[in-house]
Each structure stands twice: as C-alpha cells, then as structure tokens.
Amino acid sequence: MSVHTFFQWYFRTPVFLRLLLTVAFFMVFFGVIIHWIEPEVFPTIFDGIWWAIITGSTVGYGDFVPVTIIGKVFGILLIIAGGGLVTFYMATVSSSTVKYEQDLSKGKVEYRGAGHVIFIGWNERTKQLIDMIREFSPNEKVVLVDSTLETIPYKEYSIHYVQGNGSEDETLKRANINQARAAIITSDPSMKERQADQASILATVAIRGMNADIFIISEILTKEQITNAKRAGANTIVRSNDFMSTLFFHELYRKGHVKPFDTLVSQLSTQQYKQLEVPDELIGETFQTCSFKFMEQEELLLGIEKAGEIKINPPAKLTLDKSDRLLVLSALRQ
C-alpha cells in the first residue's frame, strides 16, 4: 500500500476509529522506544506500552519510571503529544455521544434493524397504540416516521424516530422500509379529510413500491377513497369515520346502563380477535358444541366464515366443515 493510498484510507475512516488508531500507534511507538532505550527498567515491550498508556493518559502509577536523560526526554514528549491526543480523543467521544443522542431525538439517525413496524404520522392514536404495544408486546420494534415533530423524547417513548415525509423514498429508506414487516398509516388530523386520505394513499403507494411483501394498514376517512387505497396496495383499511358513526348511533339509541363505546373500547384493549381453522376433533360437530369447547379454554366463539361469508352468532345446530374458519375472541396476552 502506497503512502498516498494509506492517507486516503485513513482520512476516510470514521473519526472514532481514526483517533483510536492514532492513540494506539503513539502508545505502541513510545512503548517500543522506551524499551529499546532502557531495557533494564522496561524488560519487555509490553512493559513499555503499559508505561506509555499510563503516562499518556496522565494516570501515572509510578511503577515504571525512566532513569536516563534520553528516556526522560521521550517521557516529556509522550506527555505533551500523547496526553493531548488522549484528552482530545475522550472529548471527541463525549461530544459525539451527546450529538448522537440529539440526532436520535431529532429523527436524523437511520434505523438499521429488521422485522420492525413502521408508524406513519404522530397523533393521539399513535401514542395510544404505542402504549398498547409496549404493554402486550414489549419486544416489538417500532419506527415512527413523521414530518411535524421537531424532537421526540426517545427515552420516554422506546421507539426509533425518523424525521421526514412518509411518502418520500429517502425518508422510507432511513426507516429501513425494505426489512420492515408492517406499516401503519394514520390520517393527519391537521388536514381536511380528503387531503388526509390523499396523503395516506400516497404513502401507501410509496411503501408498497419499495417493499412488495410488507403488510400495510391504512386509515381512510372518506368512503370515496377506500377503493383507491386498495388499489394503492393497502392490505387492511381502517374506516375510522364509519366506525365512529356507528358508535355514535348505538350510543344515541342505547337502552339501559350499558354504554356501547366504553364497553367496546374496554373489550378491544384487553381482548383480541382470532381467525382459526376448525380443529379436527370438531369437524362435523355443531356450532353449539364448538362454543362450549372454546368456553372451556376461556375463549368466546363469535361466529364462523363459511364459503367466504362471515356469520356472527349463527344457528346453534349449524354443522362445521373442514373449510370453515372460526372467529374467536380471547384474552390479549403478552
């Protein structure tokens, strides 16, 4: 390797590695020199390197001390050159650590993990969803993409923040979209409904274009844009306006003390819906028999999917086939 090539490689290495290599070179150089000058006092090269590190870091144990004039001169040079270099290295490490923490909070650091879930948009729904994930799936890796946040307290929210527009390729690359397993796109509450849907669809198109296998959940507010969201590549569409309108209706016309909204929110926060194949021992049995079986497991059989049609609370004597799918409500567990 030529000197020119070496210097090109040296100055292209990260500053941490460059400083560490320089410090190591100085310590080894002075350690070898002092061993060569005073072999009686420093019987091995390791003893010389040990003395150089202790002296250069200004610790000064005093277990090895040069006794000749030339040895002391090299000791002075080591203190001047090596001590300043070690101090500069420690200061650089400290300042870089602080800068890295600031960059994390500002969303400037790329995410390098895999199998994570990406959230597009920071709002109250996102906050609550993160809290639920942390409670029931604490090992889930979450990456937040948002363009409105200046900083995020990453120590309070154990997520990785990427600042930028969720429909731009560069931002999605920094979120490592190619290795993500799922993406959740929430509507921007600061926009009008149609604009928010267009932004969600645009983000869906960008995500699907960069990762053909990722599972995408997209929130759509207007019925007219549901088809476009499906065309864009959304696997699941959450129609929050339809859902809330239905809840308002039930709340308005409810009878008795049961509150549909409170009951449903409480249920969804502690229960999960599952779609299961019919167990072999229950093929040919009735829906009623199957319901009792799941009750023994502390699960609730809500209905079945038969020939592509979902039947909630079907007739008790309905016979289950192998091709059917069971809709079950069970406790949400970690």
Side-chain angles (χ1 to χ4, degrees):
M1 179 186 293
S2 65
V3 175
H4 177 71
T5 303
F6 172 77
F7 277 107
Q8 278 190 328
W9 170 83
Y10 177 79
F11 286 106
R12 287 174 180 171
T13 57
V15 63
F16 290 128
L17 180 59
R18 195 187 320 159
L19 285 173
L20 184 61
L21 290 174
T22 304
V23 170
F25 171 78
F26 266 87
M27 297 303 109
V28 172
F29 173 77
F30 278 98
V32 172
I33 292 296
I34 199 67
H35 165 69
W36 178 71
I37 294 174
E38 300 185 11
E40 296 83 8
V41 180
F42 303 91
T44 67
I45 292 178
F46 178 79
D47 291 332
I49 295 174
W50 168 258
W51 167 81
I53 293 174
I54 296 302
T55 304
S57 61
T58 68
V59 174
Y61 285 138
D63 50 350
F64 291 99
V65 179
V67 295
T68 64
I69 297 296
I70 190 171
K72 292 179 180 180
V73 169
F74 269 93
I76 293 171
L77 293 176
L78 174 60
I79 294 173
I80 294 174
L85 189 62
V86 170
T87 302
F88 179 67
Y89 173 74
M90 298 306 297
T92 301
V93 170
S94 300
S95 62
S96 298
T97 301
V98 173
K99 185 178 183 302
Y100 183 78
E101 288 190 6
Q102 293 175 343
D103 289 344
L104 275 177
S105 297
K106 294 179 180 179
K108 296 181 179 180
V109 179
E110 294 183 7
Y111 184 75
R112 301 185 183 278
H116 52 294
V117 178
I118 297 177
F119 289 173
I120 307 295
W122 179 251
N123 47 55
E124 193 61 32
R125 296 185 299 282
T126 305
K127 295 178 186 178
Q128 294 183 15
L129 181 54
I130 289 174
D131 290 340
M132 293 180 66
I133 289 176
R134 288 294 164 253
E135 180 179 357
F136 294 102
S137 184
N139 295 324
E140 186 72 77
K141 295 171 288 187
V142 176
V143 176
L144 170 68
V145 175
D146 187 80
S147 60
T148 61
L149 282 175
E150 293 185 1
T151 61
I152 187 171
Y154 72 94
K155 293 182 180 179
E156 178 181 352
Y157 297 96
S158 54
I159 60 177
H160 187 96
Y161 171 46
V162 173
Q163 208 282 340
N165 192 316
S167 62
E168 296 179 354
D169 288 1
E170 186 60 35
T171 301
L172 294 174
K173 287 179 182 178
R174 289 195 288 122
N176 201 7
I177 186 67
N178 291 328
Q179 298 189 57
R181 73 173 184 86
I184 300 177
I185 305 169
T186 59
S187 293
D188 189 341
S190 65
M191 295 181 178
K192 294 182 179 179
E193 290 184 345
R194 187 174 183 84
Q195 292 176 327
D197 284 350
Q198 291 174 347
S200 297
I201 292 171
L202 186 59
T204 303
V205 171
I207 293 172
R208 180 59 69 201
M210 298 185 69
N211 188 337
D213 301 321
I214 192 171
F215 185 81
I216 302 177
I217 303 173
S218 183
E219 180 183 10
I220 297 296
L221 303 177
T222 60
K223 290 183 178 180
E224 294 79 11
Q225 297 300 325
I226 293 175
T227 302
N228 289 331
K230 292 180 180 178
R231 291 171 180 165
N235 299 96
T236 300
I237 296 174
V238 176
R239 297 173 291 178
S240 53
N241 279 353
D242 292 351
F243 177 71
M244 292 306 300
S245 297
T246 303
L247 279 181
F248 281 131
F249 175 83
H250 285 287
E251 189 69 29
L252 180 62
Y253 292 102
R254 67 181 173 88
K255 296 180 180 180
H257 299 289
V258 177
K259 296 182 178 181
F261 178 79
D262 294 338
T263 302
L264 184 58
V265 169
S266 176
Q267 181 191 81
L268 291 177
S269 63
T270 58
Q271 306 283 320
Q272 63 178 339
Y273 292 94
K274 298 190 296 186
Q275 189 176 38
L276 307 174
E277 295 182 355
V278 180
D280 292 338
E281 66 271 16
L282 294 177
I283 296 175
E285 298 289 344
T286 64
F287 182 81
Q288 184 180 43
T289 302
C290 192
S291 297
F292 290 146
K293 187 68 175 179
F294 276 92
M295 287 177 63
E296 295 175 357
Q297 304 172 185
E298 297 183 354
E299 295 179 319
L300 179 62
L301 180 61
L302 299 176
I304 66 172
E305 181 181 354
K306 182 180 285 290
E309 181 182 357
I310 295 179
K311 300 177 182 291
I312 302 297
N313 192 25
K317 300 302 181 182
L318 180 66
T319 302
L320 302 181
D321 300 324
K322 183 176 178 61
S323 60
D324 294 340
R325 294 293 181 270
L326 305 177
L327 305 179
V328 180
L329 184 65
S330 63
L332 188 60
R333 300 182 177 90
Q334 292 186 1

